[in-house]
Amino acid sequence: MRGYQAILMVAVAAWSAAEGLAQQQKSAVAAAKTAASEDGLAMTPPMGWYPWNQFGQGPQNETLIKQTADALVTSGMREAGYSYVGPDEGICFFRNDNNGQLATNLKRYPSGLRGLGDYIHKKGLKYALYTDAGTHTCSKAMPGTKDHEQDDMRTFAEWRCDYLKIDWCNTKGQDVVKTYTTLREAQLAAGRPVVHALCTWGGGQPWKWAAAIGHLWRTTEDICGPGRANWGKAMQIAFANQRLYRHAGPGHWNDPDMMITGMRGLSEAQNRSFFSLWCIMAAPLIAGNDLRSMSKSTVEILTNLEAIAVNQDPLGKQGHVVRKDGKVSIWAGKPLYDGSQAILAFNQGTEPADVQIKWVDVGLNEKAELYARNLWMHETTGPHAGGLSVNVAPNDVAMFRISKNNAFPIPPIISADSYLVTFRTGDGTTAQSLSKAIRITDKGTNALPAWKVTPNLPDWLDVAVVRDGQVQTVTCTVSTAGLEKGLHHALVRLDNKEPVSGRPLSAFYFDVDLEVAQDVRDGHR
Ligand code: GLA
């Protein structure tokens, strides 16, 4: 950790020097380690849900977040890869005047923010929270982290937060690089790996420097006001974000904001187009609609595994516009792990469009004879020589994978039935051994190797992994011999690789809690 911090400080000091942003742009990602190269987080774009787009501030409370967590499971979204969930600027904490520490607003979150996190983890989901880098959050209803960076990051770690969006309101006079660097260092010092989502709305051009500090950064202003999906604005944002494609990659993503798919006012074609654009841009897939009352069509769009496979591809390339003829744009530049390419044609006109997609326009050999997998029709056609003709309805897309093979495998899409394993011993001073398991499921085509346990476990814990096709069972065995009464905790890290490309998957972390009722005598383990 210390070596990493030193690299981070040297890198940031170099960037802050007056050599100019253009230079930083070229060297930053190549020369510096990314945040993810240490913690292994967000190796593919994070997927989850945040309340802001649909709800704004007022309706956010524990019931809404728990119902949404439940809906992530019952809708099938969890199994499709969505995992991060929690309140946004939902008046969830205040600063305690007596000790300067953050404390839960128990009126809105009666289980406490740690209790809410436990609920989410036990549902097989990960815990997302929100704060601000300035004196206050945007509405000023919550305190910001300014001058409390160390304490607050420790508190978020104690609440067992896995993903933290850090906004940039009320930051007058603060240097953006220094501020987010301080926050990253405070997160490292707090010792819990957290996906760090910067939110400067593109201010300070974070794509040029933030890969060493965080895992994703907003590139544009808000996509909509709460409850008011705005198609025109969403499209402006998509076209602005696609231009930044060179800056994205595993562990460091351009974030064009939370999704509006499934919000009132959008047609099915718009929902499909929006989702396809976010998928091909390797954008974080953070749903923003009300998951408790989705139409069948919205669920089908949000859980289309063939589109999600493009977004979650291990190479992590960001697709972008390669040709625009009037209202029709062709998007490509998205090579995938199996040698195929994702492409799409998007029609923003009011009439259906006949579109010729030539292989040369999307970076392929003009003479090639290639198969095309339609990712919304779920059909393979071909081989096609030279290109593909397709009719695209107004506001709609045609999205394909193109390959010389007639097979379109799905990369790893990981979910778990829990991220929290809890043990409680009965009364008594005799040593006990107890076991519990969690299951990790992969929707990918190629079976994964066994997840590897990072060997830094405390003496009282053993973790063993058993593979059975797409499901791996992770068994935790605790031995209480010699342990003192009280709560013992471990954070376990598992790592794995995608077998075709050899690219690392996002590290898989989970918590183990062991509550020991009485001091236990030494004994056999
Ligand atoms: C900013 C962010 C939004 C949302 C609100 C909350 O505007 O960009 O995504 O978090 O703050 O106030």
Side-chain angles (χ1 to χ4, degrees):
M1 207 64 109
R2 275 203 210 115
Y4 169 63
Q5 278 173 318
I7 290 167
L8 180 65
M9 282 165 64
V10 170
V12 170
W15 295 340
S16 301
E19 62 190 71
L21 283 172
Q23 200 47 38
Q24 297 165 16
Q25 176 179 3
K26 277 190 218 131
S27 57
V29 174
K33 278 195 167 190
T34 61
S37 56
E38 185 70 16
D39 56 34
L41 287 170
M43 298 307 285
T44 56
M47 297 174 68
W49 178 87
Y50 252 138
W52 191 258
N53 282 2
Q54 177 64 40
F55 295 100
Q57 190 166 61
Q60 289 191 49
N61 59 30
E62 180 169 322
T63 305
L64 173 68
I65 304 302
K66 285 184 168 174
Q67 288 175 348
T68 301
D70 298 351
L72 277 163
V73 179
T74 53
S75 64
M77 286 176 73
R78 181 184 78 176
E79 262 60 32
Y82 295 85
S83 60
Y84 295 103
V85 57
D88 187 284
E89 195 187 4
I91 324 191
C92 22
F93 51 77
F94 61 95
R95 194 172 300 290
N96 193 323
D97 288 341
N98 298 327
N99 59 10
Q101 304 294 313
L102 297 181
T104 302
N105 173 358
L106 291 169
K107 285 203 183 98
R108 282 190 184 228
Y109 301 87
S111 302
L113 285 175
R114 170 63 198 285
L116 179 59
D118 285 357
Y119 182 90
I120 286 170
H121 287 140
K122 291 214 152 187
K123 282 261 152 191
L125 297 164
K126 291 184 263 182
Y127 194 20
L129 284 168
Y130 165 95
T131 188
D132 190 282
T135 53
H136 292 88
T137 57
C138 299
S139 71
K140 301 212 169 154
M142 292 161 71
T145 52
K146 173 134 182 7
D147 299 332
H148 297 272
E149 291 84 359
Q150 305 290 326
D151 280 350
D152 287 5
M153 293 306 127
R154 210 176 310 116
T155 304
F156 286 116
E158 282 163 14
W159 286 334
R160 302 216 173 145
C161 169
D162 305 305
Y163 178 116
L164 189 62
K165 172 173 169 181
I166 308 186
D167 220 334
W168 188 243
C169 282
N170 304 306
T171 51
K172 199 156 177 242
Q174 288 176 233
D175 177 277
V176 67
V177 179
K178 275 197 196 131
T179 302
Y180 280 102
T181 303
T182 303
L183 287 161
R184 171 67 179 169
E185 285 167 354
Q187 287 181 327
L188 290 173
R192 184 176 181 85
V194 174
V195 174
H196 180 178
L198 291 84
C199 183
T200 67
W201 324 291
Q205 301 182 303
W207 47 90
K208 294 181 175 172
W209 48 267
I213 291 167
H215 303 87
L216 61 155
W217 46 81
R218 282 276 298 280
T219 55
T220 56
E221 61 187 64
D222 288 5
I223 200 159
C224 65
R228 297 193 307 274
N230 180 335
W231 179 248
K233 194 161 184 201
M235 291 306 100
Q236 277 170 18
I237 284 178
F239 279 86
N241 185 71
Q242 60 84 23
R243 283 199 288 270
L244 300 170
Y245 66 92
R246 287 189 187 82
H247 302 284
H252 53 100
W253 309 104
N254 290 313
D255 175 8
D257 206 358
M258 299 165 287
M259 297 195 283
I260 56 171
T261 303
M263 287 178 69
R264 193 164 349 128
L266 298 192
S267 67
E268 182 176 324
Q270 288 171 327
N271 282 333
R272 184 166 41 245
S273 296
F274 184 97
F275 191 68
S276 303
L277 295 178
W278 260 236
C279 284
I280 203 165
M281 285 196 291
L285 297 181
I286 308 296
N289 57 317
D290 187 345
L291 303 188
R292 303 167 305 172
S293 57
M294 286 187 281
S295 68
K296 191 162 170 274
S297 142
T298 295
V299 177
E300 278 172 14
I301 290 170
L302 288 173
T303 59
N304 177 358
L305 214 60
E306 295 210 65
I308 292 171
V310 170
N311 180 269
Q312 293 293 301
D313 184 82
L315 304 189
K317 298 282 186 209
Q318 177 176 332
H320 51 97
V321 177
V322 292
R323 208 184 86 199
K324 193 158 194 300
D325 295 329
K327 297 281 186 192
V328 174
S329 50
I330 306 291
W331 298 58
K334 179 82 175 134
L336 305 176
Y337 80 118
D338 65 327
S340 66
Q341 304 267 341
I343 62 169
L344 70 77
F346 177 35
N347 178 13
Q348 290 176 278
T350 49
E351 300 294 326
D354 282 320
V355 184
Q356 308 291 326
I357 305 174
K358 295 196 193 118
W359 293 159
V360 276
D361 289 340
V362 294
L364 297 166
N365 184 329
E366 67 179 307
K367 299 227 170 70
E369 299 202 356
L370 301 169
Y371 291 94
R373 175 77 182 169
N374 186 318
L375 304 184
W376 290 108
M377 309 290 279
H378 308 297
E379 292 171 352
T380 306
T381 56
H384 300 271
L388 198 61
S389 297
V390 63
N391 184 274
V392 189
N395 278 325
D396 216 333
V397 285
M399 187 182 192
F400 298 94
R401 266 168 84 178
I402 306 294
S403 177
K404 59 182 186 330
N405 302 314
N406 185 4
F408 294 90
I410 302 287
I413 309 281
I414 303 298
S415 60
D417 62 356
S418 178
Y419 288 93
L420 173 59
V421 183
T422 52
F423 296 94
R424 182 178 293 174
T425 65
D427 285 348
T429 56
T430 314
Q432 300 175 36
S433 176
L434 305 166
S435 288
K436 277 188 184 173
I438 60 172
R439 285 150 56 91
I440 306 179
T441 302
D442 170 27
K443 290 262 189 207
T445 305
N446 299 293
L448 291 177
W451 286 86
K452 276 209 187 76
V453 184
T454 300
N456 64 348
L457 303 177
D459 283 352
W460 50 268
L461 177 63
D462 272 324
V463 177
V465 179
V466 175
R467 284 171 72 204
D468 182 9
Q470 285 180 306
V471 177
Q472 299 199 23
T473 303
V474 183
T475 302
C476 301
T477 304
V478 297
S479 306
T480 62
L483 288 184
E484 288 180 2
K485 173 182 171 173
L487 187 69
H488 302 262
H489 168 253
L491 182 71
V492 181
R493 174 176 176 162
L494 308 177
D495 284 283
N496 211 337
K497 282 195 172 143
E498 191 288 311
V500 175
S501 63
R503 299 288 175 115
L505 304 191
S506 297
F508 183 105
Y509 293 92
F510 66 96
D511 288 285
V512 181
D513 279 338
L514 166 61
E515 196 181 330
V516 177
Q518 287 193 34
D519 289 353
V520 181
R521 289 193 305 266
D522 277 329
H524 283 299
R525 297 219 162 166

